[in-house]
Amino acid sequence: MTTVALAVSEGMLHFELSMATEVFGSAPDAVPGPWYDLETCGAAPVRVGRFLLEPDHGLDRLAAAHTVIVPGWADPDVTPPAQLVDAVRAAHAAGARVASLCTGAFVLAAAGLLDGARATTHWAHTRELAALYPRVEVDPDVLYVDNGRVLTSAGKAAAMDLCLHLVRLDRGSSVANAVARRLVVPPHREGGQAQFVSTPVTAPGRHPLAELLPWAVQRLDRPLTVEDLARQARMSSRNLGRHFRSVTGTTPLQWLLIQRIRRAQELLETTDRGIDTIAAATGLGSAATLRRHFHRVVGVPPDTYRRTFHAGAQGARPSRT
């Protein structure tokens, strides 16, 4: 029987802990034979939401586990307890497979397990992870990263993706599919975090592009060029580029492309318009061009995005405008 140890401590997110418990705590009826031996390991009782959790074992028990799972860390600004970090590091040194869920990646990074490796965490904390641990190659777009004996997942629901991936590695796809059916979740999701990330609109204020940006957003259906933008802003193209870097962090053309893609996402979510119509409405010209840029920026094709986020999928009647 494969032992899965949950490393628990104060400051732990209960949602990720619950998902790991659901996956590894009991086998689906359709799966014969023994299942995982799930243990909780911690230095002391910890509060999980409104409940007090009494760990099965101390943190030293992690070193005896086949798989160690570190649930989400509630406040990445707070350094994880040294005792937890040391125990996770010792478990990995003893041969355990170590996986983090959501912001649990900060514990793995503190233990040095992500140095020189690719990793991910919740998209809202990827920049913070990269800043605190510059030796980590942070990938903000994926649902999870498998480096063999060290695995990391993105936020919340992506923790389930990683847990099912671990089952798939251990027991095969049919067993992982059975677990997914029991939990009423997809056994594998397409794309990455990019499809869930909202790109904030540049805050209004007194900057050289304050009037230009809304003007451009209202004309996304037109083939705008850098020269068009510079002419409207009454500045040279070079000067425009400098201001765009300062205000938006990117180039005029890249900013325009992102606005067109975000507009396409809105239309896919709220209307039944065809891909050709949406391509024209967003200034991307053809369905092929929209599909190419959309897949590159969002991580999934427009049709997949619509199936996931269309208002009709939530029980609402979509617009046909």
Side-chain angles (χ1 to χ4, degrees):
M1 187 176 294
T2 302
T3 301
V4 173
L6 303 180
V8 299
S9 66
E10 290 292 343
M12 177 184 58
L13 298 175
H14 64 277
F15 184 76
E16 288 79 0
L17 174 68
S18 299
M19 283 196 293
T21 301
E22 284 290 334
V23 171
F24 300 107
S26 60
D29 294 337
V31 177
W35 192 239
Y36 294 92
D37 181 13
L38 181 67
E39 301 176 345
T40 56
C41 302
V46 297
R47 187 161 296 281
V48 182
R50 297 183 178 180
F51 304 98
L52 193 66
L53 173 65
E54 183 76 42
D56 301 317
H57 306 281
L59 286 171
D60 57 347
R61 178 81 167 197
L62 295 178
H66 174 269
T67 299
V68 172
I69 294 181
V70 182
W73 185 246
D75 190 352
D77 292 328
V78 176
T79 302
Q83 192 173 2
L84 172 64
V85 172
D86 292 343
V88 169
R89 185 188 299 117
H92 181 263
R97 177 177 63 181
V98 181
S100 66
L101 308 181
C102 192
T103 48
F106 284 81
V107 177
L108 270 59
L113 303 188
L114 303 181
D115 286 354
R118 184 165 156 262
T120 194
T121 189
H122 191 291
W123 61 264
H125 299 288
T126 51
R127 289 186 179 180
E128 187 175 1
L129 181 63
L132 285 174
Y133 303 99
R135 296 185 62 186
V136 181
E137 182 187 340
V138 180
D139 189 336
D141 296 328
V142 295
L143 294 177
Y144 60 83
V145 174
D146 182 348
N147 289 319
R149 285 182 51 227
V150 179
L151 304 91
T152 54
S153 86
K156 301 301 179 183
M160 179 63 74
D161 294 295
L162 178 54
C163 288
L164 290 174
H165 174 67
L166 292 173
V167 174
R168 192 177 300 112
L169 291 174
D170 295 340
R171 304 293 297 270
S173 294
S174 61
V175 173
N177 292 347
V179 175
R181 281 194 296 272
R182 176 170 65 86
L183 299 176
V184 199
V185 297
H188 178 75
R189 290 193 294 164
E190 295 183 72
Q193 292 194 83
Q195 60 188 306
F196 302 100
V197 180
S198 296
T199 300
V201 177
T202 304
R206 298 179 62 84
H207 56 77
L209 305 182
E211 296 182 4
L212 176 65
L213 300 185
W215 178 88
V217 167
Q218 293 171 7
R219 292 163 175 78
L220 293 177
D221 58 334
R222 306 177 191 181
L224 297 173
T225 65
V226 174
E227 290 71 24
D228 293 330
L229 296 175
R231 189 180 307 110
Q232 178 65 25
R234 297 182 179 86
M235 61 180 67
S236 68
S237 298
R238 178 176 295 183
N239 198 25
L240 178 75
R242 285 198 296 268
H243 285 302
F244 256 89
R245 281 290 184 188
S246 175
V247 173
T248 72
T250 188
T251 66
L253 289 181
Q254 185 63 23
W255 180 86
L256 269 176
L257 175 62
I258 296 301
Q259 303 314 306
R260 297 186 195 283
I261 295 299
R262 296 316 180 201
R263 177 59 177 155
Q265 287 180 291
E266 179 185 345
L267 294 174
L268 289 166
E269 292 175 21
T270 61
T271 78
D272 285 339
R273 295 186 191 183
I275 301 300
D276 284 303
T277 303
I278 292 177
T282 56
L284 289 169
S286 68
T289 301
L290 170 59
R291 287 191 171 96
R292 182 174 70 255
H293 287 300
F294 194 96
H295 201 165
R296 179 174 61 83
V297 172
V298 181
V300 294
D303 297 318
T304 300
Y305 184 87
R306 170 169 269 167
R307 285 196 299 271
T308 303
F309 293 101
H310 193 286
Q314 307 301 322
R317 184 174 181 176
S319 167
R320 293 187 178 277
T321 57

